[in-house]
Amino acid sequence: MEISIHNRTTYVSKHPIPSALMVSLVRRSLLLLIFLITCIHIALGQRFNVVTGPQAATRGPADTFTGTVWVTSLVPNDSIFTTISGSVAFEKGARSHWHSHPAGQILIVTDGIGYHQIKGEPRQVIRKGDVVKCPPNVVHWHGASLDSKMTHLYIIPNTEKGIVKWLKAVTDAEYGQK
């Protein structure tokens, strides 16, 4: 098929097609393409501009947390954004176990006072408004202080690399170290 344009008339295989008809064909082709792409995303369960409401908090399991912890998922994992996000509320003295994230983690403290510690380094105090960037594959823990509850948002990017590797519990002695 040979396409050429001469003086506002398009020729396809030496047959003239008026410009208005060509514009109409191009428009219809583009609309069909957009429709097909949208159908593919919907068929795969992926929608555009999905708004979700608050999810119910669930108690953090004892095999990954010490004390009373409530976890709320905000952004579930998917193949488009490959990021998860949520909120974790720690009661006084509650904490995560030692763990690491293959792609790292960002914490945004939204309430209270707590601790964050990277294995082999001093424990850090974290407060409302603090942002903590946990580097990829670095073993750490975080939780509330003894005297205050603490809540943080978590963001885990690049979930295709994995989400979390849970390790042993933070002992009372480790938790109490400064």
Side-chain angles (χ1 to χ4, degrees), residues 51-67:
V51 177
T52 60
Q55 305 296 310
T58 58
R59 187 162 180 162
D63 61 344
T64 55
F65 294 99
T66 299

Side-chain angles (χ1 to χ4, degrees), residues 33-137:
L33 181 63
I34 291 168
F35 174 76
L36 290 174
I37 290 171
T38 302
C39 287
I40 289 169
H41 282 281
I42 290 171
L44 294 174
Q46 301 165 347
R47 294 193 170 86
F48 301 99
N49 296 326
V50 175
V51 177
T52 60
Q55 305 296 310
T58 58
R59 187 162 180 162
D63 61 344
T64 55
F65 294 99
T66 299
T68 304
V69 177
W70 297 97
V71 181
T72 305
S73 174
L74 298 174
V75 178
N77 195 18
D78 65 31
S79 61
I80 296 175
F81 296 102
T82 65
T83 298
I84 62 172
S85 179
S87 175
V88 182
F90 297 86
E91 296 293 323
K92 294 176 183 180
R95 57 207 179 254
S96 71
H97 288 194
W98 289 102
H99 63 283
S100 65
H101 304 276
Q105 177 185 48
I106 298 169
L107 304 175
I108 302 166
V109 182
T110 58
D111 193 37
I113 300 171
Y115 304 129
H116 172 267
Q117 184 176 20
I118 292 175
K119 190 86 167 169
E121 296 185 12
R123 182 185 74 190
Q124 297 178 318
V125 175
I126 54 177
R127 293 178 173 81
K128 180 179 179 178
D130 286 348
V131 176
V132 179
K133 290 183 179 179
C134 307
N137 298 309

